[in-house]
C-alpha cells in the first residue's frame, strides 16, 4: 500500500490525466513535449532579439573599419597676389580727312565801261516870297503869270455836338444744350462729306438685307455734338432693314466731326444726310 502511494506521488499531471487512456494520442505527446518546446522557443527568441539589437552597432563598426582614412588639410588663408591688369592704350580717333580743295568757278570776262561822273549844276538859291504875296495868290515850284487867285483857306470846323462813342452790341453766347439747324459755320467730317459717304459704303453690311434688291433710299439724321461725336442717329426710309443697317453703320464710324459754330463757339447741330444705295 505504501508503495502504491509513493508511485502516485511521483506521477506528473499529464500521467495522472492520461492514466488508463491512450497515451499514443497526439495530445499526450504535445503536452509532454511542451516545456521543452517552450524553453527552446524562448532561447531562440531571446537570441534573435539580442542579434537585432546589436546588428546596427555591428554594421556601424564594419563601416568604420572599411572607411578610407581621411586626409586633413590645413586650410589657411594664403595671400593672393593680384595680377596687374594690362591697360591697353586707348585708340585715338583718326583725324578726319582734309576737305577737298575748293574749285573756283571760271571767271567771266568783263570789259570795263567807264561812265563819266556827273557834275552838279550850280545851285541858284531863290529867296521865298514874302507872306503877304503868298496870301494874295497860289504858291508853286515855278513862277507863272496869270490871274491872281486867293490862297486856300480851310473851312471852319463843324459845331461841336459832343463826342459820341460807337457802341457795339455784344452778341449773346450760344446755348450749350439747344440743337441748332442754322449756324454760321456748319459741321464737317475730316476729309469732307464725300469721305464720310465712302466710310458708310465701306462699312455697310449688305448681308443684313433680306430680299432687298434694286435702289433703296433713306434719310439719316444725327446730332453732331460740341465735341464732334454723333448722337441721336435715326434713319427714315421705306425699308426697315435698310434703315437699321444704315443706323448701325453710322454709329460704327469712330472719326469725330468738326463741330458747328456760332460766334466762334461750338454748338450742337442736327445734320441730315440722304443715302441711296443700289443692290443687285
Amino acid at each position: 500500500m505504501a508503495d502504491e502511494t509513493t508511485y502516485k506521488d511521483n506521477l506528473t499531471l499529464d500521467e495522472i490525466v492520461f492514466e488508463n487512456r491512450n497515451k499514443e494520442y497526439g495530445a499526450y505527446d504535445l503536452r509532454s513535449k511542451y516545456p521543452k518546446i517552450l524553453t527552446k522557443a524562448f532561447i531562440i527568441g531571446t537570441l534573435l532579439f539580442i542579434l537585432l539589437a546589436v546588428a546596427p552597432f555591428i554594421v556601424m563598426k564594419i563601416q568604420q573599419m572599411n572607411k578610407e582614412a581621411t586626409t586633413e588639410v590645413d586650410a589657411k588663408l594664403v595671400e593672393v597676389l593680384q595680377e596687374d591688369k594690362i591697360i591697353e592704350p586707348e585708340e585715338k580717333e583718326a583725324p578726319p580727312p582734309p576737305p577737298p580743295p575748293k574749285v573756283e568757278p571760271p571767271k567771266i570776262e568783263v570789259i570795263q565801261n567807264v561812265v563819266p561822273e556827273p557834275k552838279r549844276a550850280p545851285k541858284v538859291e531863290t529867296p521865298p516870297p514874302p507872306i503877304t504875296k503868298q496870301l494874295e495868290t497860289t504858291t508853286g515850284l515855278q513862277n507863272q503869270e496869270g490871274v491872281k487867285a486867293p490862297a486856300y483857306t480851310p473851312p471852319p470846323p463843324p459845331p461841336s455836338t459832343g463826342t459820341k462813342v460807337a457802341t457795339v452790341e455784344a452778341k449773346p453766347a450760344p446755348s450749350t444744350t439747344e440743337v441748332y439747324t442754322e449756324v454760321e459755320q456748319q459741321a464737317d467730317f475730316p476729309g469732307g462729306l464725300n469721305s464720310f459717304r465712302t466710310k458708310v459704303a465701306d462699312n455697310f453690311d449688305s448681308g443684313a438685307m433680306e430680299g432687298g434688291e434694286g435702289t433703296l433710299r433713306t434719310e439719316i439724321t444725327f446730332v453732331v455734338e460740341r465735341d464732334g461725336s454723333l448722337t441721336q442717329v435715326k434713319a427714315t426710309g421705306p425699308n426697315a432693314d435698310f434703315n437699321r443697317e444704315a443706323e448701325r453703320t453710322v454709329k460704327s464710324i469712330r472719326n469725330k466731326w468738326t463741330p458747328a459754330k456760332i460766334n466762334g463757339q461750338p454748338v450742337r447741330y442736327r445734320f441730315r444726310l440722304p443715302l441711296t444705295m443700289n443692290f443687285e
Side-chain angles (χ1 to χ4, degrees):
M1 189 69 177
D3 294 336
E4 185 178 355
T5 303
T6 304
Y7 172 74
K8 288 183 179 181
D9 291 337
N10 294 329
L11 293 178
T12 61
L13 180 62
D14 294 336
E15 292 177 351
I16 295 172
V17 172
F18 285 93
E19 188 179 3
N20 302 323
R21 293 187 181 182
N22 186 8
K23 294 183 180 180
E24 294 180 359
Y25 187 64
Y28 177 78
D29 185 47
L30 289 175
R31 292 175 69 113
S32 60
K33 294 180 179 180
Y34 177 74
K36 296 179 180 180
I37 295 173
L38 182 61
T39 303
K40 187 177 180 180
F42 176 76
I43 295 171
I44 294 173
T46 303
L47 292 175
L48 288 175
F49 177 77
I50 295 172
L51 182 61
L52 290 175
V54 178
F57 299 98
I58 297 174
V59 172
M60 187 181 301
K61 189 67 177 177
I62 293 172
Q63 289 179 351
Q64 290 179 356
M65 294 174 63
N66 294 333
K67 188 175 180 180
E68 295 180 358
T70 57
T71 304
E72 295 183 358
V73 178
D74 187 8
K76 295 182 179 180
L77 296 178
V78 179
E79 184 178 359
V80 178
L81 297 178
Q82 184 176 4
E83 296 182 358
D84 294 336
K85 295 183 179 179
I86 300 175
I87 301 175
E88 297 181 357
E90 297 182 356
E91 295 183 359
K92 296 183 179 180
E93 296 182 357
K102 294 183 179 180
V103 179
E104 297 182 357
K107 296 182 179 181
I108 301 174
E109 183 181 359
V110 178
I111 299 175
Q112 184 179 4
N113 184 12
V114 179
V115 179
E117 184 179 356
K119 295 182 179 180
R120 293 184 179 182
K123 186 176 182 181
V124 179
E125 294 184 359
T126 303
I131 299 299
T132 56
K133 291 290 185 182
Q134 295 182 18
L135 296 176
E136 292 178 356
T137 182
T138 304
T139 59
L141 298 176
Q142 295 181 357
N143 292 328
Q144 180 179 340
E145 296 180 356
V147 180
K148 292 182 179 182
Y152 172 77
T153 55
S160 60
T161 57
T163 305
K164 292 184 179 180
V165 180
T167 57
V168 180
E169 295 182 359
K171 296 182 180 180
S175 174
T176 58
T177 57
E178 182 180 353
V179 179
Y180 292 89
T181 56
E182 295 182 0
V183 292
E184 295 177 357
Q185 181 180 346
Q186 291 190 354
D188 192 15
F189 187 76
L193 187 58
N194 290 334
S195 177
F196 183 74
R197 289 180 180 273
T198 302
K199 284 186 175 292
V200 172
D202 293 342
N203 295 331
F204 195 92
D205 185 11
S206 58
M209 304 296 299
E210 295 182 0
E213 296 182 357
T215 302
L216 298 179
R217 294 181 177 84
T218 187
E219 185 181 51
I220 307 174
T221 59
F222 50 84
V223 175
V224 181
E225 297 291 340
R226 299 171 67 243
D227 61 350
S229 59
L230 302 184
T231 59
Q232 301 182 18
V233 181
K234 183 68 176 176
T236 56
N239 191 305
D241 294 337
F242 185 63
N243 295 338
R244 191 179 305 108
E245 181 60 23
E247 293 175 359
R248 186 203 65 79
T249 304
V250 172
K251 292 178 182 178
S252 66
I253 299 175
R254 300 300 180 186
N255 302 74
K256 289 193 175 184
W257 287 55
T258 302
K261 292 183 180 180
I262 296 178
N263 295 337
Q265 300 294 327
V267 294
R268 303 177 70 196
Y269 177 67
R270 189 176 301 280
F271 198 94
R272 299 180 182 275
L273 176 67
L275 180 64
T276 304
M277 299 187 72
N278 187 16
F279 300 92
E280 296 182 355

